[in-house]
């Protein structure tokens, strides 16, 4: 194996020595639980939280995933302890990747798993406590400005069983004018397929 890794020292540390792994799900009395991903795609993530005084008091997790998913969720589990629920709810994959010192481009989608599972755990906490009004819809980001196709459109396409770029283009006409969005669309497709199978 070459000594020239594509990963930062922080990624390697959190992959080799992950923090806050959930050892026994049955014995962990969570206040919120979020699970995303699909074993059929190789990545699945569970995040559980405890809440005290509207702040995350503890965050544990387990995953079937790659080194980037493990490192991303490990560092996220440290970042969110002490945050208010709102602060943690608004954490995004870019925040996690920055804290890790970066990830290779083709692995950035792995940081989405922990972020989505955390968001799902917080939403579960809100539902359990009658605080549904705190759940915020995610804002859509335009990916294809020529055809006004958003990341939510791509996510919904995958959720509905969509598989590849060609099928997405037939459905939405994404990338059929200037084509500048194709790279980002492929990355989003890959990431959402990991989330939803």
């Amino acid at each position: 194996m070459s000594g020239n890794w594509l990963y930062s020292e922080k990624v390697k540390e959190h992959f080799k020595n992950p923090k806050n792994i959930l050892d026994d799900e049955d014995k962990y009395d969570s206040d919120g639980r979020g699970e995303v991903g699909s074993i059929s795609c190789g990545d699945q993530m569970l995040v559980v939280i405890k809440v005290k005084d509207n702040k995350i008091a503890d965050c544990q997790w387990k995953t079937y995933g790659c080194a980037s998913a493990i490192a991303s969720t490990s560092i996220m589990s440290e970042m969110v302890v002490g945050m208010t629920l709102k602060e943690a709810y608004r954490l995004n994959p870019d925040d996690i990747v920055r804290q890790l010192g970066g990830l290779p481009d083709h692995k950035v989608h792995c940081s989405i798993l922990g972020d989505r599972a955390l968001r799902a755990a917080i939403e579960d906490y809100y539902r359990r406590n009658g605080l549904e009004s705190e759940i915020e819809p995610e804002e859509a980001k335009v990916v294809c400005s020529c055809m006004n196709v958003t990341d939510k459109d791509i996510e919904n396409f995958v959720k509905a069983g969509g598989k590849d770029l060609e099928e997405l283009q037939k459905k939405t006409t994404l990338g059929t004018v200037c084509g500048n969005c194709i790279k980002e669309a492929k990355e989003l497709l890959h990431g959402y397929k990991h989330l939803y199978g």
Side-chain angles (χ1 to χ4, degrees), residues 58 87 175 185:
D58 189 46
E87 289 169 336

Side-chain angles (χ1 to χ4, degrees), residues 89-102:
Y89 194 60
R90 293 188 176 137
L91 192 73
N92 65 55
D94 291 340
D95 298 326
I96 297 166
V97 171
R98 257 194 311 277
Q99 194 72 22
L100 282 171

Side-chain angles (χ1 to χ4, degrees), residues 24-89:
D24 189 343
E25 187 180 344
D26 294 331
K27 290 185 179 175
Y28 191 89
D29 187 22
S30 70
D31 294 319
R33 182 182 190 282
E35 190 169 357
V36 298
S38 167
I39 290 294
S40 65
C41 285
D43 291 316
Q44 189 170 31
M45 181 72 64
L46 169 67
V47 169
V48 290
I49 58 172
K50 290 188 179 183
V51 178
K52 184 175 182 183
D53 299 327
N54 205 39
K55 291 185 177 178
I56 295 186
D58 189 46
C59 177
Q60 295 189 22
W61 59 279
K62 66 179 177 180
T63 190
Y64 299 97
C66 67
S68 297
I70 291 167
S72 297
T73 311
S74 173
I75 203 163
M76 181 208 73
S77 71
E78 290 187 324
M79 291 169 68
V80 299
V81 172
M83 283 186 177
T84 66
L85 289 169
K86 278 202 183 304
E87 289 169 336
Y89 194 60

Side-chain angles (χ1 to χ4, degrees), residues 107-176:
K107 287 295 184 178
V108 169
H109 72 272
C110 298
S111 64
I112 293 172
L113 282 171
D115 161 65
R116 289 294 176 101
L118 172 67
R119 188 177 173 93
I122 293 170
E123 289 179 355
D124 181 47
Y125 171 81
Y126 286 150
R127 286 186 189 97
R128 290 186 196 187
N129 290 280
L131 300 168
E132 288 87 351
S133 63
E134 297 295 321
I135 297 173
E136 301 171 8
E138 289 185 81
E139 288 185 28
K141 174 188 165 205
V142 174
V143 176
C144 176
S145 53
C146 297
M147 304 310 291
N148 198 33
V149 179
T150 69
D151 57 347
K152 296 303 290 176
D153 295 323
I154 298 172
E155 181 178 11
N156 290 333
F157 165 77
V158 173
K159 281 180 171 178
K163 299 289 182 209
D164 59 30
L165 182 65
E166 187 178 330
E167 188 183 344
L168 175 66
Q169 288 181 300
K170 283 180 186 171
K171 186 169 178 62
T172 65
T173 64
L174 170 142
T176 57

